[in-house]
Amino acid sequence: MALRSSPAALETATDLRILELAAEHIRRFGIERTSVTGIAEAAGMSHANVYRYYPSKTALFDEITAAWLKSLEAGLRIIADAQDPAFDKLERMVFAIHRTYREKLESDPKIFRLFVEATGKAAPVARRHRTRVELEIHRILDEGAGSGLVEIKDARSCLKLVLDALHRFVDPAAIARDIDQTRPELEERVARVMDLLRLVLASGIHDFKLQNL
């Protein structure tokens, strides 16, 4: 006797099918020309049925972005949980973010543009991702402070310094602007900034003021 799929499994399959079709339409037609009606037709359902799964086109597009970011976020948690020294983990984490964004930009530019636009608008999907990234970086800095590798007087200012110093390499819009720069060139710059951060964080002077120089 053939096994029947459960209602929950069917819902999940339909959900994923809608996401796949939406991403396919964005790649073929671009963000502006992709419509819920067109996706619904490709899925063989009414556009009202698509809205059962996603309340708006924006929500649908945000889920496409969230889907490919999940594996990166999982990888960052693995890095943060590792037994390596804090600075080594921070460097691995930064390179993981930079390389994942760059790879997506090169291999799937129209889907990456969704992420750039979501970040520019401070959309929930972008804010959630940034919060998760910041959490893992904070964990590493906190661990470094506990082991004596990092001098932290103000955890928030320390985190801001790291994010500001690395902005060019971990901000999606900045990465898109650097598309004409080769990977080796950018990764060499990442390595130089990481070396500088290592010195600054270990020295405890990351909360300096320019007038004190």
Side-chain angles (χ1 to χ4, degrees):
M1 182 175 66
L3 295 176
R4 294 183 179 180
S5 298
S6 69
L10 291 174
E11 287 283 306
T12 299
T14 302
D15 189 345
L16 292 176
R17 178 62 175 156
I18 291 171
L19 281 182
E20 290 171 355
L21 287 170
E24 180 184 320
H25 278 224
I26 290 169
R27 294 181 183 112
R28 290 175 57 194
F29 308 120
I31 297 172
E32 291 79 11
R33 293 178 59 197
T34 295
S35 67
V36 173
T37 300
I39 295 168
E41 289 177 354
M45 63 176 66
S46 69
H47 68 277
N49 201 31
V50 173
Y51 287 126
R52 286 183 54 235
Y53 295 89
Y54 302 97
S56 66
K57 186 167 79 169
T58 298
L60 175 56
F61 285 2
D62 282 353
E63 188 57 33
I64 292 171
T65 296
W68 71 265
L69 289 173
K70 283 179 183 176
S71 61
L72 170 60
E73 292 166 358
L76 298 184
R77 288 192 293 273
I78 291 172
I79 292 173
D81 288 338
Q83 298 302 310
D84 307 324
F87 282 128
D88 292 349
K89 293 199 290 189
L90 181 60
E91 185 170 51
R92 285 172 55 203
M93 186 170 290
V94 171
F95 272 107
I97 296 168
H98 177 74
R99 288 167 177 165
T100 299
Y101 288 177
R102 176 72 184 219
E103 171 61 29
K104 193 66 175 179
L105 172 64
E106 291 178 348
S107 66
D108 211 355
K110 292 180 180 178
I111 300 300
F112 188 77
R113 185 185 156 200
L114 287 178
F115 181 36
V116 172
E117 293 190 357
T119 303
K121 296 174 183 176
V125 64
R127 293 201 309 271
R128 286 193 296 268
H129 176 65
R130 182 179 176 87
T131 297
R132 289 164 185 155
V133 170
E134 290 183 359
L135 174 63
E136 301 308 332
I137 293 176
H138 185 311
R139 287 177 59 200
I140 291 176
L141 294 174
D142 191 54
E143 179 184 314
S147 63
L149 293 176
V150 178
E151 286 284 338
I152 295 181
K153 298 175 183 176
D154 183 327
R156 188 62 191 168
S157 69
C158 185
L159 178 61
K160 285 181 178 179
L161 172 73
V162 171
L163 295 175
D164 288 346
L166 296 168
H167 177 82
R168 181 171 186 173
F169 312 113
V170 299
D171 178 76
I175 289 190
R177 287 193 295 270
D178 274 340
I179 187 61
D180 293 332
Q181 301 290 317
T182 67
R183 288 198 192 192
E185 287 175 322
L186 288 171
E187 293 196 5
E188 182 180 347
R189 292 182 178 185
V190 174
R192 287 203 299 267
V193 173
M194 292 305 304
D195 287 342
L196 180 60
L197 276 175
R198 182 185 294 261
L199 294 173
V200 172
L201 293 176
S203 71
I205 63 170
H206 51 270
D207 57 351
F208 65 84
K209 300 290 190 297
L210 289 177
Q211 59 265 31
N212 294 334
L213 295 180

